[in-house]
Amino acid sequence: MANNITQISCRDLKLGYEGKTVTEGLTFEVSRGDYLCVIGENGAGKSTLIKALLGLNPPISGSISFPGGLSSSAIGYLPQHTAVQKDFPASVKEIVLSGCLGKDGFHPFYTKKQKAFAEKQMDRLGLTRLKNRCYRELSGGQRQRVLLARALCATEEILLLDEPVAGLDPKVTKEMYEIIEDLNKSGVTVIMVSHDISAAVKYASRILHLGPTQLFFGTKDSYIKTDVGRMFTDFSGGEEK
């Protein structure tokens, strides 16, 4: 549950790349404990928004601020799964630990504190028995849990998840959503970018719907009562939890 402490504030954002505007008029906030789902059709600006929040691609205009004292470096990022990621020639433990890099300043070796923190995240996501396994030997669902644990090593404040269940079978998809929900209930703020409207309506507390302009930002309950919300949830088969 959100507790009204604003962690990210975006005001009148215009986003784009290579001189092309993809979306504009974005105004929204993320509060501690939110579960914000960002939805929209391909090309609506979801990926561009991710890069802006991570500080990788500044907005054309408008502002992104962190009123709670955090910064873009306090966002743990789970990117879309790629073929390159599947072939990481490293152990589960090594990949999870790498999330600690740069968190407490540069160290030539991982500290005892960082190693203990990585162990905590592996245990939290049921990865302890797999920690010495090679990443590329794991199933798709196991790999996603490893990358999620890595993101948690970067920060336990805010997770930014880009299509976290893409390519997973229905059973593993359900398990992944349950893990994310549990993390959110434990106090981790979740921003999830997804094409899965039904999951957005089921799990999210707030929804940001993107198009050429901002189509909606507000609570899930308000979203499903709007024309655009009814249209998209009817189309996707989503329904209120």
Side-chain angles (χ1 to χ4, degrees):
M1 292 289 292
N3 59 12
N4 298 320
I5 296 176
T6 302
Q7 293 178 305
I8 304 174
S9 178
C10 297
R11 290 284 175 267
D12 200 25
L13 294 183
K14 178 189 283 189
L15 302 175
Y17 54 91
E18 297 177 356
K20 176 186 176 184
T21 299
V22 294
T23 189
E24 58 186 321
L26 301 188
T27 295
F28 66 96
E29 293 183 343
V30 181
S31 297
R32 181 174 293 167
D34 271 351
Y35 191 141
L36 173 66
C37 197
V38 182
I39 59 178
E41 298 178 5
N42 288 335
K46 298 188 298 295
S47 296
T48 312
L49 176 59
I50 287 173
K51 291 175 182 176
L53 292 175
L54 292 173
L56 302 176
N57 187 19
I60 297 170
S61 62
S63 66
I64 300 174
S65 61
F66 298 85
L70 300 175
S71 67
S72 57
S73 62
I75 299 175
Y77 178 45
L78 176 64
Q80 285 194 42
H81 217 159
T82 66
V84 173
Q85 288 173 334
K86 294 177 183 178
D87 288 327
F88 280 154
S91 71
V92 167
K93 180 168 63 177
E94 289 169 333
I95 290 176
V96 174
L97 258 173
S98 70
C100 295
L101 290 173
K103 182 180 178 183
D104 302 309
F106 176 75
H107 299 277
F109 303 100
Y110 292 113
T111 65
K112 184 180 293 186
K113 177 182 175 182
Q114 288 173 329
K115 291 177 180 178
F117 192 66
E119 292 282 351
K120 172 187 171 184
Q121 305 312 328
M122 286 187 286
D123 182 61
R124 190 176 192 178
L125 296 184
L127 295 168
T128 301
R129 66 182 179 82
L130 300 173
K131 66 181 182 180
N132 295 316
R133 289 272 301 276
C134 182
Y135 176 81
R136 58 189 175 193
E137 296 173 357
L138 304 180
S139 68
Q142 289 169 336
R143 285 194 291 260
Q144 283 297 79
R145 280 191 283 136
V146 171
L147 296 179
L148 186 56
R150 181 183 186 276
L152 284 167
C153 275
T155 175
E156 291 184 294
E157 293 281 352
I158 307 174
L159 286 177
L160 177 52
L161 314 175
D162 188 3
E163 301 288 354
V165 300
L168 302 180
D169 66 46
K171 180 177 181 293
V172 178
T173 292
K174 183 174 182 292
E175 291 171 353
M176 191 69 178
Y177 279 137
E178 288 172 350
I179 289 170
I180 295 167
E181 184 180 33
D182 286 345
L183 289 171
N184 178 244
K185 287 179 176 178
S186 75
V188 179
T189 303
V190 172
I191 305 172
M192 183 174 73
V193 176
S194 178
H195 285 94
D196 190 345
I197 307 294
S198 60
V201 172
K202 181 175 182 181
Y203 294 104
S205 58
R206 293 188 181 186
I207 291 176
L208 173 63
H209 192 141
L210 300 183
T213 60
Q214 181 171 306
L215 299 180
F216 179 86
F217 170 66
T219 66
K220 170 184 67 177
D221 292 336
S222 296
Y223 177 71
I224 61 179
K225 294 173 184 175
T226 64
D227 290 341
V228 67
R230 281 195 296 268
M231 180 179 72
F232 273 78
T233 53
D234 288 347
F235 177 76
S236 67
E239 55 185 271
E240 189 175 1
K241 190 173 180 181

